[in-house]
Amino acid sequence: MYKLIDGKAHSARIRGEIKARVEQYKKARGSDIGLAVVLVGSDPASQVYVRNKIRACEECGIKSFANYLPETARQKDVEELVKSLAEDENIHGILVQLPLPAHLDEKAILDLIPVEKDVDGFCEENIGRLCMNRDCLVACTPNGVMQMLKAEGTEIKGKNAVVIGRSNIVGKPMAMLLLNADATVTVCHSKTANLKEICRNADILVAAIGRAKFVTADMVKDGAVVVDVGINRNSDGKLCGDVDFDAVRDKCSYITPVPGGVGPMTITMLLYNTVCAAERS
Ligand code: GUN
């Protein structure tokens, strides 16, 4: 029998801890913790994500500064905004919602976020520190996965972990976190040969591909821990993950559902990173 990993319950527990730290910060310093969010354009999914991030800040007592720029914003406009947020001492974290409109140079914009305010954990310095297993701001989605695996008491040390997906935002930092926790890690991607056999050897399987029901029962080892990072919509518009949940679940020891698994943890870890950034300031 599998155990469902309940991302909402883990989130609620961690948000309680965050709230207490926010209150303590306010009492000790007599000022707020501030998170600036930058949204350029009107991508509907990004608008939903940004709205949810701002609401989550409010619930935890973090002051949010929403900055909306039109689709037509010039490189210079966005850069000037990020520079002013970088200098503002009331702001402890800066989040530029991705993807940016295609005409903008994403790297040049993200490079303007100071390492200590990079609450997404995307900058080269934070990724480098993560690779060297040093203190850093860790990318929110993979950090959320780790927090759930640890809280559930799943054994990571010495286990075979397979990550499907090699994005800078999820796959690569996920692999590093598992490696830092002493797993033996394989990263698979669209050019991987023998994907099924590699996955079948996984004690921990993390799916971050972005294709609905990509992971089927024949790819999963009996007793595996399966983590589904995917957020896809099927032809009926219903949310579904990268894992064929109904077919796979009975082979698992633990599995995350979609929705209600990894998703709620991503925003929680953003709040967590923002509090850490403020406490270190
Ligand atoms: N777009 C999709 N996921 C993310 C995320 O975690 N952070 C930012 N900034 N943009 C995203």
Side-chain angles (χ1 to χ4, degrees), residues 127-194:
I127 300 273
R129 288 186 194 177
L130 177 64
C131 290
M132 299 178 81
N133 202 5
R134 285 165 49 198
D135 199 32
C136 64
L137 292 166
V138 181
C140 302
T141 299
N143 200 15
V145 172
M146 285 310 281
Q147 296 310 317
M148 290 197 293
L149 292 180
K150 286 182 178 169
E152 293 286 344
T154 61
E155 183 84 23
I156 300 173
K157 188 172 173 176
K159 296 295 177 188
N160 288 331
V162 173
V163 179
I164 320 177
R166 55 174 160 178
S167 71
N168 290 333
I169 296 178
V170 180
K172 284 182 201 167
M174 187 75 251
M176 278 303 149
L177 286 166
L178 289 163
L179 185 60
N180 290 345
D182 297 323
T184 302
V185 182
T186 308
V187 183
C188 297
H189 48 79
S190 56
K191 308 291 187 294
T192 297
N194 306 323

Side-chain angles (χ1 to χ4, degrees), residues 46 49 53 95-99 120 122 140-141 169 266:
S46 290
Y49 289 139
K53 287 170 185 178
L95 179 146
V96 176
Q97 186 65 27
L98 303 178
D120 261 326
F122 290 171
C140 302
T141 299
I169 296 178
T266 295

Side-chain angles (χ1 to χ4, degrees), residues 246-263:
D246 291 335
V248 164
R249 61 183 170 186
D250 287 320
K251 296 187 89 175
C252 301
S253 54
Y254 292 85
I255 186 167
T256 65
V258 177
V262 176

